[in-house]
Amino acid sequence: MDSELGGAVAGAPADFRILTPANWYVLDLNPATRTGSIARLVERRFGPTDDPRLVQARRELTALLRGAARDAADNGAVYAALMDALVDGTALSASLLVVVGPAPLDADGNAVTDPAGLSASLLAAELAGVAEAAIAGDGPGGPVAVELTAPPPGAGWPAAQDGADAADGADAADGADAAGRAEIVELPAGPAVRLRRRTDSGLAGSTGETAAAAETQYFVPIPASGRMLVLTFATPNIGFRGEFEELFDRMAETLDWQWEPAT
């Protein structure tokens, strides 16, 4: 599915495309068409049914998708998708939120768009602030909040893991902490900075404490534009962090720039 980049600049791509697995829901962020699009997504999943359990499940999924799409649009996302599935009896969920924002500036006021410069000159928290700035529209800020991983109580999101289980899973996942770990990676769309870290999922486990989430962000300079595409993947399933990070990486590798047709 394509989504407009905005801020058209001569020589820059006009759009981008990213592929999602078949069991992910790509959300329609347009308020004018959102209700009908979500109804069709739910219909494809469940089909017509009079089973009271499935009718209730349809309602919960509809509420989840509507809330996620509304939150993503309100936060300035240009693209959003989520997964909500039961696999071998385990509730698994994940999300992708994409925003567009200006690249950070160097001391001379020039946009820093080369990944080496980004990773060398910015702390992880400052780099994450690019995403929040794009969402808030008012300059650099703190760590980005991924609303798709923290819907309000009763929205139908799978239950979070126990706090202790989440901590154990995080410790086993290469020791990354809330401060994050940034590194330069090569994508087909170009070099980028990848940041992995633990965040607050906003979901309460059985202990009543807020559970952690695993987050992977890609900061991808948009060619010839002085802007950045920020992909934020997240999952509250800390125990499956490694598997989800591998999935997130494969999804990021499908990112492709779409150029305006030659005239």
Side-chain angles (χ1 to χ4, degrees), residues 90-93 157-170 198 201 203-214 235-241 243-244:
T90 300
L92 300 177
S93 58
W157 198 265
Q161 293 179 321
D162 289 348
D165 291 340
D168 290 342
R198 290 180 63 198
S201 72
L203 303 175
S206 60
T207 63
E209 297 181 357
T210 302
T235 177
N237 296 103
I238 293 291
F240 295 90
R241 179 175 184 171
E243 290 83 352
F244 271 111

Side-chain angles (χ1 to χ4, degrees), residues 98-158:
V98 181
V99 297
V100 180
L105 304 179
D106 62 18
D108 297 322
N110 300 314
V112 179
T113 58
D114 67 291
L118 288 172
S119 62
S121 64
L122 297 176
L123 296 173
E126 292 174 332
L127 188 58
V130 175
E132 186 177 41
I135 291 174
D138 57 3
V144 63
V146 185
E147 297 295 338
L148 296 185
T149 62
W157 198 265

Side-chain angles (χ1 to χ4, degrees), residues 235-256:
T235 177
N237 296 103
I238 293 291
F240 295 90
R241 179 175 184 171
E243 290 83 352
F244 271 111
E245 288 182 347
E246 182 178 349
L247 172 62
F248 298 158
D249 290 345
R250 291 203 304 268
M251 292 171 65
E253 288 171 358
T254 70
L255 178 66
D256 182 35

